Amino acid sequence: MAQGRARMRILDPDVTLDEYELDTGDVYFVPRAYPHHIEVLGDEAFHFLIFFDQPTPGDIGYRTTATAFSREVLASTLGVDERDVPDFPFTTTDPLIVGRKNPTPAPKTA
C-alpha cells in the first residue's frame, strides 16, 4: 500500500471471512474471483497499487452482477418484495480500468 490505512475483507469459498488491516508498505494477495471489500480507516487519503495476473482484467463485482439478474430473482434472493428492489445502475465502463493521471512530459527544446 502506498499511503493511508484500510481494512480488507475477503470472502472465502467456504463462506468464512478473512480480515486484514492494510498499512503503508503492506502487500496482500486476493485470489482471482474472490469477493473482497476495502474500507478506508481514518480521515487521510488512501492510495494503493493493484497488480493483475492477466493483461485485461474485468469487473466481476456485485455492482455489475446485480444487473445480470431479473428483479424477480433479486427479490427472492434478498427476501424482499419485488417492488422494493432498487434500480441498480448499469454501466458498460469497466471501473477497474482508469485513465493515466501523470502528465505527459513537455517536449525538449534544443
Side-chain angles (χ1 to χ4, degrees):
M1 190 163 86
Q3 176 185 341
R5 289 184 54 244
R7 177 180 299 119
M8 178 170 58
R9 293 184 179 106
I10 302 171
L11 183 63
D12 295 321
D14 65 358
V15 195
T16 59
L17 194 63
D18 296 324
E19 183 175 304
Y20 307 95
E21 285 206 12
L22 308 168
D23 288 304
T24 301
D26 287 347
V27 176
Y28 290 88
F29 172 76
V30 178
R32 185 184 299 182
Y34 276 50
H36 56 283
H37 170 77
I38 299 174
E39 170 189 1
V40 176
L41 299 176
D43 294 329
E44 70 178 274
F46 169 63
H47 297 275
F48 62 101
L49 303 171
I50 300 174
F51 298 92
F52 295 97
D53 66 345
Q54 52 192 340
T56 55
D59 177 26
I60 57 168
Y62 296 113
R63 185 171 122 175
T64 303
T65 302
T67 61
F69 297 101
S70 70
R71 296 178 65 75
E72 179 183 19
V73 167
L74 286 172
S76 177
T77 302
L78 298 172
V80 298
D81 190 275
E82 192 173 332
R83 292 182 307 245
D84 297 326
V85 174
D87 290 323
F88 292 102
F90 178 76
T91 178
T92 57
T93 304
D94 190 332
L96 292 177
I97 308 300
V98 296
R100 181 179 170 168
K101 297 278 186 181
N102 51 333
T104 304
K108 294 182 180 182
T109 56

